[in-house]
Amino acid sequence: RGIESYVSLSLTSLVHASPALGALDLYDALGYTHARYTDGEFSGKAVEFAPSVVNRAGLTYAKGRGSVGVQWSYVSRQFSDANNTVASFDADIGVIPAYQLVDLSAKWQLDRTIGLDFGVNNVANQYYFTMRTTEYPGPGIIPGIGRSIYLGARAGF
């Protein structure tokens, strides 16, 4: 069982601000999952690799040909096995801790068909992991990606 929701709010429209000031938008995408085994050996236990909460919230400001945004992401803790083991000497079994990240992005439209994108993912360079594995390069955890910067170009034809 669960719910997914998406809410978007134009803050500039809400306060009846002049369009000349640009547009400020707030959004939130939330997923809540109550994933549990309903019978058998693991009845009542959380399903492995199924975080209860995945939330992405952000703020975007756009004016003219450009826009900038910030996004906060949160993923709640989850288990890597049906026994819901918190800690183990076995590297592929145990809890996967909750984590949160902040990303920044910017776009600039040079003309009708050409644009530039720039961003920084994981701004705070948080250390986190999303999986435990027995496969290569394991056994152990697969770390999340640290801070990364990207620059891109778009062209429409």
Side-chain angles (χ1 to χ4, degrees):
R1 287 180 270 163
I3 187 168
E4 289 186 18
S5 68
Y6 180 80
V7 177
S8 179
L9 180 63
S10 171
L11 298 176
T12 47
S13 295
L14 189 66
V15 297
H16 306 291
S18 167
L21 293 175
L24 187 61
D25 298 320
L26 179 68
Y27 66 88
D28 186 71
L30 172 67
Y32 171 76
T33 306
H34 183 76
R36 301 287 184 267
Y37 287 99
T38 57
D39 68 24
E41 175 183 357
F42 305 113
S43 182
K45 301 274 188 174
V47 173
E48 59 273 21
F49 300 110
S52 296
V53 177
V54 177
N55 194 29
R56 311 244 191 270
L59 189 65
T60 303
Y61 174 74
K63 183 173 180 184
R65 295 194 235 174
S67 68
V68 294
V70 60
Q71 177 177 276
W72 169 76
S73 300
Y74 171 79
V75 178
S76 65
R77 84 177 193 161
Q78 55 193 294
F79 296 99
S80 65
D81 69 314
N83 279 317
N84 295 175
T85 306
V86 174
S88 169
F89 289 111
D90 190 342
D92 61 324
I93 296 175
V95 75
I96 297 172
Y99 64 91
Q100 52 189 330
L101 306 171
V102 174
D103 302 326
L104 298 175
S105 63
K107 294 183 179 188
W108 184 258
Q109 195 67 34
L110 298 172
D111 66 20
R112 226 178 88 245
T113 60
I114 299 174
L116 297 175
D117 298 335
F118 171 79
V120 181
N121 292 330
N122 191 0
V123 172
N125 201 29
Q126 293 293 312
Y127 294 105
Y128 67 103
F129 66 95
T130 59
M131 179 165 277
R132 291 177 179 266
T133 183
T134 58
E135 299 174 9
Y136 181 82
I141 62 171
I142 303 296
I145 297 171
R147 182 184 302 120
S148 62
I149 299 172
Y150 66 88
L151 179 63
R154 290 176 277 114
F157 300 98

